[in-house]
Amino acid sequence: MYLLGIDAGSTVTKVALFDKAGHEMQVASRRIEPIHPQSGWVVRDMYDVWHQTCEAIREVLERSKVDSAQIAAIGCTGHGNGAYLLAKSGKPLGNAIHAIDMRGASILENWSANGTLDKARQYTHQQAYAGQTATVLSWIKQFQPELFSAIDTV
């Protein structure tokens, strides 16, 4: 039995195969190019992320000669925050908004001015930033309400 790890990082998706003792058997990676549709915006084509991840998995399995039926578990991780939006159909609602996207900066300014950031920090113990999911979703709700109403899963 084997374990498969998938790390969808900020610029590269990495896939690693391990034996049950935790020894690395094979690794593959694929670069995911960021898209900059306008100044301060950073998005990713979710279909490309999926395709590149599948290709890395395929490479690991082919090079290791391990049958996918022998994989007992798959662990996934990804870069923090941003927003990958799906419709009820499970299909992407456009490009994913990357964690380093800055479109939510105006939302943070408003939250700072009205005390929302201070209140939130009492509960989260975190410093908010423009690419956090809540900030991105607030920006979408305010500036793209038709997209916001179409969101089923984030």
Side-chain angles (χ1 to χ4, degrees):
M1 292 301 226
Y2 296 91
L3 306 171
L4 189 74
I6 302 169
D7 177 16
S10 295
T11 57
V12 175
T13 292
K14 296 150 301 267
V15 175
L17 182 69
F18 301 91
D19 66 16
K20 62 183 179 180
H23 300 108
E24 183 180 288
M25 305 298 295
Q26 196 63 247
V27 177
S29 64
R30 294 292 186 281
R31 180 150 175 78
I32 309 293
E33 294 296 330
I35 303 165
H36 304 274
Q38 59 186 17
S39 180
W41 290 27
V42 184
V43 299
R44 303 170 83 166
D45 179 326
M46 285 198 277
Y47 289 105
D48 185 44
V49 172
W50 177 254
H51 175 75
Q52 298 300 339
T53 302
C54 290
E55 287 297 312
I57 293 168
R58 186 174 291 112
E59 181 181 336
V60 161
L61 294 176
E62 287 174 359
R63 288 188 359 215
S64 68
K65 301 192 182 342
V66 167
D67 182 334
S68 62
Q70 294 179 288
I71 297 174
I74 300 171
C76 300
T77 187
H79 70 85
N81 294 296
Y84 289 63
L85 309 174
L86 302 177
K88 286 187 194 305
S89 66
K91 295 189 186 253
L93 290 169
N95 289 323
I97 299 172
H98 202 288
I100 60 173
D101 188 282
M102 293 301 296
R103 75 186 74 192
S106 63
I107 299 293
L108 288 180
E109 290 172 11
N110 291 338
W111 287 351
S112 180
N114 70 21
T116 300
L117 286 181
D118 290 333
K119 289 178 190 171
R121 198 172 303 114
Q122 292 173 4
Y123 297 100
T124 65
H125 303 285
Q126 294 182 353
Q127 181 63 37
Y129 63 94
Q132 282 182 312
T133 306
T135 311
V136 170
L137 289 173
S138 294
W139 185 93
I140 292 170
K141 185 175 183 180
Q142 183 174 345
F143 295 103
Q144 296 179 322
E146 68 291 339
L147 173 61
F148 187 82
S149 66
I151 298 169
D152 182 67
T153 304
V154 180

